């Protein structure tokens, strides 16, 4: 469809062929946006970038970014590997109530939301999100809405940070504002390791500074949250609801609910 790996690399990314040994290279927001069409591949970020440089993709309060791994658009869920290589992404705005979205997606069906929507059997590592603004009606997180298994393969989130910003779960459309977290809305059969959120988190049910809900089979290891967390039911500094394992994690901040 795209005329071969060389053409894909030249037209869509800054280099690479998408393999583990030669990942597609991502240097700006527009290249990051193309990940959704190659959702089983390997990627490495090569520089800090901001969505503010690409306002047609994300611009508060008028244009919402459509998460990579949106289950109704592009290639569907994200199954690949994204290595931030220690770089930062800023200027992210995701909202189910924005008057315009970057693509023709019904905002009431935004679903699990974050930089990534649904990640299954994926790897997200060494990435910092600076001051994101994320609003949705279900499974809402700064980095990822829902991190889940792909068959028996875990999603792993490692050395990732959400620095400042806000994550909001609100009722509307097909969702009730459940499972809201600074880093991830919900993790199922997934590992979150050495990751941190300092975002302000506001939600209704299952609201946590790091993750909204951690389901059976998930692990939180050496993680932390320094946050103000607001919610109605099932809220916690680290996780609003935790059925998985937690090792060596810390929370500092305020809970209101």
């Amino acid at each position: 469809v795209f005329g071969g790996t060389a053409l894909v690399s030249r037209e869509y990314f800054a280099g690479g062929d998408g393999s583990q040994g030669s990942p597609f290279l991502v240097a700006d927001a527009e290249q990051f946006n193309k990940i959704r069409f190659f959702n089983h591949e390997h990627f490495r970020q090569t520089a800090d970038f901001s969505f503010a440089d690409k306002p047609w993709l994300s611009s508060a309060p008028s244009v919402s970014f459509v998460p990579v791994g949106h289950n109704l658009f592009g290639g569907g869920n994200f199954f690949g590997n994204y290595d931030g290589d220690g770089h930062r992404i800023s200027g992210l705005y995701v909202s189910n109530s924005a008057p315009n979205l970057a693509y023709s997606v019904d905002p009431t069906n935004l679903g699990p939301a974050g930089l990534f929507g649904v990640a299954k059997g994926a790897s997200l590592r060494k990435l910092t999100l600076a001051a994101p603004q994320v609003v949705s009606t279900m499974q809402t997180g700064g980095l990822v809405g829902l991190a889940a298994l792909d068959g028996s393969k875990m999603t792993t989130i490692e050395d990732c940070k959400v620095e400042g910003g806000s994550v909001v779960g609100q009722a509307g459309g097909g969702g009730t504002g459940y499972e809201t977290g600074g880093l991830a809305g919900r993790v199922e059969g997934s590992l979150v390791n050495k990751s941190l959120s300092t975002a302000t988190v506001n939600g209704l049910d299952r609201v946590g500074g790091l993750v909204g809900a951690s389901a059976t089979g998930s692990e939180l290891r050496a993680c932390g949250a320094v946050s103000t967390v607001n919610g109605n039911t099932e809220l916690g500094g680290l996780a609003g609801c935790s059925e998985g394992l937690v090792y060596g994690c810390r929370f500092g901040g305020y809970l209101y609910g």
Side-chain angles (χ1 to χ4, degrees):
V1 175
F2 294 100
T5 299
L7 180 58
V8 166
S9 178
R10 185 170 65 249
E11 295 294 328
Y12 286 79
F13 303 107
D17 60 18
S19 66
Q20 184 174 1
S22 181
F24 286 131
L25 302 181
V26 177
D28 62 30
E30 194 159 15
Q31 290 175 356
F32 181 87
N33 185 54
K34 297 296 194 301
I35 288 173
R36 70 181 73 250
F37 302 110
F38 306 91
N39 60 338
H40 287 79
E41 310 305 324
H42 296 259
F43 303 87
R44 187 173 75 243
Q45 190 170 324
T46 61
D48 297 350
F49 63 79
S50 176
F51 280 97
D53 298 329
K54 310 290 181 182
W56 58 90
L57 292 177
S58 177
S59 179
S62 58
V63 181
S64 171
F65 181 70
V66 176
V68 168
H70 190 286
N71 56 9
L72 297 177
F73 182 77
N77 301 332
F78 182 71
F79 301 92
N81 296 270
Y82 191 85
D83 181 0
D85 204 23
H87 293 293
R88 299 164 66 86
I89 297 176
S90 60
L92 176 68
Y93 176 68
V94 177
S95 175
N96 69 301
S97 58
N100 300 292
L101 286 94
Y103 295 96
S104 297
V105 176
D106 179 357
T108 62
N109 287 325
L110 195 57
L115 181 67
F116 293 86
V118 180
K120 288 189 173 182
S123 172
L124 309 175
R125 62 192 303 265
K126 293 186 177 180
L127 177 63
T128 296
L129 273 181
Q133 299 178 63
V134 182
V135 183
S136 193
T137 61
M138 59 180 289
Q139 296 172 340
T140 308
L143 180 67
V144 60
L146 171 62
L149 290 164
D150 178 25
S152 60
K153 185 181 179 183
M154 299 178 76
T155 290
T156 59
I157 301 171
E158 188 167 19
D159 289 321
C160 289
K161 298 177 183 177
V162 176
E163 294 184 346
S166 64
V167 179
V168 178
Q170 63 183 14
T176 58
Y178 66 92
E179 298 181 341
T180 307
L183 185 79
R186 179 180 176 87
V187 293
E188 297 177 354
S190 299
L191 170 65
V192 184
N193 186 39
K194 295 188 289 185
S195 295
L196 172 71
S197 175
T198 61
T200 297
V201 184
N202 295 278
L204 299 176
D205 180 39
R206 297 186 175 183
V207 188
L210 187 74
V211 301
S214 176
T216 301
S218 292
E219 297 182 23
L220 308 179
R221 292 180 175 269
C223 292
V226 180
S227 178
T228 297
V229 180
N230 298 276
N232 291 344
T233 57
E234 292 191 87
L235 66 155
L238 195 69
C241 171
S242 180
E243 299 170 343
L245 301 177
V246 180
Y247 300 95
C249 297
R250 295 183 178 184
F251 168 74
Y254 301 93
L255 301 177
Y256 297 99

